[in-house]
Amino acid sequence: MNVTIVDYNSGNISSVINSFKEVAKDKVNIEVTSDLNKIKSSDKVVLPGQGSFKSCVDALNNINGLVDTLNDFAINNKKPLLGICVGLQMFADIGYEETETKGLGWISGKVSKIDNQNGKYKLPHIGWNQIKILKESKIFKNIENNSHMYFVHSYEFIPNDKNVISATADYSTNIVCSAEKENIFGTQFHPEKSDKIGLQIIDNFINL
Amino acid sequence: MLKNRIIPCLDVKNGRVVKGINFVDLKDAGDPVEQAQIYSDGGADEICFLDITASNENRDIIYDVVKNTSKKCFVPLTVGGGVRGVEDINKLLNCGADKVSINTAAVQNAEVVVESSKKFGSQCIVVAIDAKKNEDKWEVFTHGGRNNTGIDAIEFAKKMEDSGAGELLVTSMDRDGTQVGFDIDLTSKISAKVNIPLIASGGVGNLDHLVDGIILGNASAVLAASIFHYGKYSVKEAKEYLDSKGIPVRI
């Protein structure tokens, strides 16, 4: 099996690569590339993302044909894709970080700044928070409710259809920390930095 | 609920841990990779490396240390010490660091923080502020505490937030190494001034100091070296103590 981590200059992806290689061992081949043919022929795709919504969308668009290839992979061919952090946020129709920016539109909704309640909550939301699992998900296999995951973000994904939300975390409001729609999965937290429990999620995705 | 973090810090010189955990069963007490793994297995919320290598020819060793650690530790790794600009940050991140802490370079030129937070995202830019009390204010020091800039630490903290820092690592030089506790006045004043998380550092001698740093100092995270290195307390003991005081921690 081939799992491709999309390398599109979206910031630091070393930890994502390390964690997937740790979980995959020799059983699964982990590719790190923006090569469109390799993405097309892979079994699963990971879409990481760091920095701002706009910078990640711009970086995707800078690689000719990448967005179309991802659309084919995830929407037309319905193959499994995992978005991490801004990778998840880009599923939305629109994001408001820096400036209004169009997203991939895979899960209808928007990405806005977390309400810090006039400074009561520090932003970014950095550190370990517990996830409240709202519905059964294949990527939460063997993950207990209220498990700790590592977060670092200031913006949150607000989907229109609340049924896509698979887990939330409590910070100012109930932040969407995991969403999924059929073959598309996304986590706002960083499984690659969430210790053994995070590696379990990666393992679950690889074994989908 | 978001948990308060406990971050053990390892001083690394020429690729070796200088003040390390004194465990008899350690294969190599000076190996930063092994020590980081012990901390991570023991429940450390993040790991911090401070590179105190003095000579230029040995500066590249830290990159290998980071590379090897990040293949074994799956909690966030922050690396600081001698970070001059975007190029150094890029190298550290590519080796597997999750965050980079900038000290002298940020004081000398705030544009370094502006530029790097734009390029890599605020989430990986930590500004380290070394502050020392002088009458009724705190002054920012650079070059590992050797140079007094005379800059007001609280104003500087605000400026760093505005420049794009994602977190502040505030060290009281008066308290560092004394084991008498954090400078609560300093951390609470800076925390009240900024809206980004603050990591308190310098002076931890017992577990009550960690409690004070979070409750009185209003820190989101506490960083300590000696109390963990010399085996006085484990990270687990520290967390259980904080938990018993009603502080939310990841256990």
Side-chain angles (χ1 to χ4, degrees):
Chain A
M1 182 169 61
N2 281 309
V3 177
T4 298
I5 298 169
V6 186
D7 181 7
Y8 62 102
N9 303 315
S10 68
N12 177 28
I13 59 169
S14 326
S15 290
V16 176
I17 300 168
N18 284 335
S19 60
F20 271 81
K21 287 195 169 161
E22 170 76 12
V23 172
K25 296 268 180 337
D26 301 325
K27 297 170 289 183
V28 178
N29 182 38
I30 305 291
E31 286 270 3
V32 182
T33 184
S34 60
D35 184 288
L36 303 183
N37 286 323
K38 281 189 175 158
I39 294 173
K40 277 178 200 156
S41 66
S42 58
D43 300 291
K44 291 181 179 116
V45 158
V46 182
L47 185 62
Q50 280 201 351
S52 72
F53 186 94
K54 181 179 184 301
S55 69
C56 285
V57 170
D58 286 350
L60 276 186
N61 287 326
N62 272 341
I63 298 173
N64 222 338
L66 181 56
V67 170
D68 288 341
T69 301
L70 292 173
N71 270 322
D72 264 352
F73 187 92
I75 304 299
N76 300 335
N77 297 328
K78 297 211 177 298
K79 288 200 213 163
L81 180 141
L82 175 68
I84 300 175
C85 197
V86 185
L88 155 75
Q89 294 181 359
M90 287 192 297
F91 294 174
D93 303 311
I94 197 158
Y96 295 99
E97 189 169 2
E98 285 183 62
T99 171
E100 200 176 295
T101 309
K102 215 168 153 252
L104 293 164
W106 292 348
I107 300 182
S108 161
K110 61 176 182 177
V111 174
S112 341
K113 195 159 193 174
I114 297 169
D115 176 11
N116 75 348
Q117 302 185 19
N118 293 319
K120 193 176 156 209
Y121 289 88
K122 301 256 181 195
L123 288 182
H125 169 221
I126 298 185
W128 297 82
N129 205 331
Q130 284 169 298
I131 62 162
K132 201 201 291 174
I133 299 177
L134 301 185
K135 67 172 187 187
E136 210 172 296
S137 163
K138 286 175 186 158
I139 64 164
F140 290 149
K141 195 179 155 200
N142 296 326
I143 304 286
E144 282 178 32
N145 194 23
N146 294 320
S147 290
H148 288 94
M149 300 291 172
Y150 190 83
F151 289 80
V152 50
H153 64 124
S154 298
Y155 285 74
E156 59 175 330
F157 175 40
I158 303 170
N160 294 335
D161 175 7
K162 304 300 172 205
N163 289 321
V164 300
I165 303 170
S166 51
T168 58
D170 179 22
Y171 193 70
S172 174
T173 57
N174 278 325
I175 288 172
V176 172
C177 64
S178 173
E180 65 182 72
K181 193 173 154 189
E182 299 172 58
N183 55 310
I184 308 166
F185 302 84
T187 63
Q188 179 59 66
F189 55 82
H190 291 266
E192 77 278 13
K193 285 284 115 187
S194 297
D195 217 341
K196 293 177 187 74
I197 198 100
L199 297 183
Q200 176 69 53
I201 290 183
I202 291 170
D203 194 46
N204 291 342
F205 176 72
I206 287 180
N207 287 310
L208 273 181
Chain B
M1 175 189 265
L2 183 66
K3 305 303 167 84
N4 292 102
R5 288 166 285 157
I6 294 189
I7 309 173
C9 178
L10 291 159
D11 286 359
V12 180
K13 190 177 182 181
N14 302 322
R16 307 284 293 167
V17 175
V18 185
K19 291 185 285 184
I21 324 164
N22 280 324
F23 286 149
V24 276
D25 55 346
L26 262 187
K27 279 188 226 105
D28 177 359
D31 178 12
V33 182
E34 199 177 345
Q35 299 235 355
Q37 230 183 325
I38 289 175
Y39 280 139
S40 150
D41 290 345
D45 295 311
E46 297 183 20
I47 308 282
C48 179
F49 282 152
L50 180 62
D51 184 23
I52 54 168
T53 305
S55 64
N56 275 329
E57 65 261 37
N58 287 337
R59 288 213 52 95
D60 283 353
I61 300 175
I62 192 69
Y63 296 116
D64 285 328
V65 170
V66 173
K67 218 178 264 177
N68 293 328
T69 307
S70 66
K71 285 182 188 144
K72 303 273 178 197
C73 280
F74 299 98
V75 298
L77 175 65
T78 303
V79 184
V83 176
R84 288 154 300 183
V86 168
E87 202 182 312
D88 291 344
I89 298 170
N90 194 26
K91 267 204 248 175
L92 286 168
L93 294 177
N94 280 333
C95 289
D98 298 290
K99 309 184 207 181
V100 171
S101 121
I102 319 172
N103 178 300
T104 303
V107 181
Q108 286 173 338
N109 180 9
E111 275 304 306
V112 171
V113 178
V114 175
E115 200 186 332
S116 54
S117 62
K118 270 205 188 120
K119 192 167 166 60
F120 308 109
S122 288
Q123 85 288 337
C124 64
I125 305 299
V126 180
V127 171
I129 304 175
D130 290 348
K132 195 171 184 173
K133 190 148 195 189
N134 183 5
E135 292 177 7
D136 57 348
K137 67 169 194 169
W138 287 268
E139 291 170 335
V140 175
F141 280 64
T142 58
H143 299 87
R146 292 189 299 277
N147 292 7
N148 183 3
T149 63
I151 296 168
D152 183 284
I154 296 169
E155 296 303 322
F156 179 69
K158 183 69 192 154
K159 185 176 166 191
M160 289 300 102
E161 175 184 28
D162 295 341
S163 302
E167 277 177 293
L168 299 174
L169 168 58
V170 179
T171 304
S172 157
M173 289 174 52
D174 301 296
R175 299 299 177 87
D176 205 21
T178 63
Q179 308 220 0
V180 297
F182 293 119
D183 184 340
I184 294 300
D185 236 16
L186 171 69
T187 53
S188 61
K189 286 208 165 88
I190 291 184
S191 186
K193 184 86 178 179
V194 300
N195 281 317
I196 52 177
L198 180 150
I199 306 163
S201 152
V204 177
N206 61 46
L207 301 181
D208 279 314
H209 293 153
L210 300 178
V211 175
D212 292 346
I214 291 164
I215 297 205
L216 305 174
N218 203 14
S220 301
V222 283
L223 181 134
S226 312
I227 61 158
F228 298 129
H229 295 330
Y230 298 117
K232 197 169 170 184
Y233 304 102
S234 67
V235 173
K236 187 167 174 277
E237 284 168 333
K239 286 188 153 183
E240 283 166 355
Y241 189 74
L242 262 56
D243 180 54
S244 76
K245 297 285 170 186
I247 294 174
V249 285
R250 174 180 71 114
I251 291 183

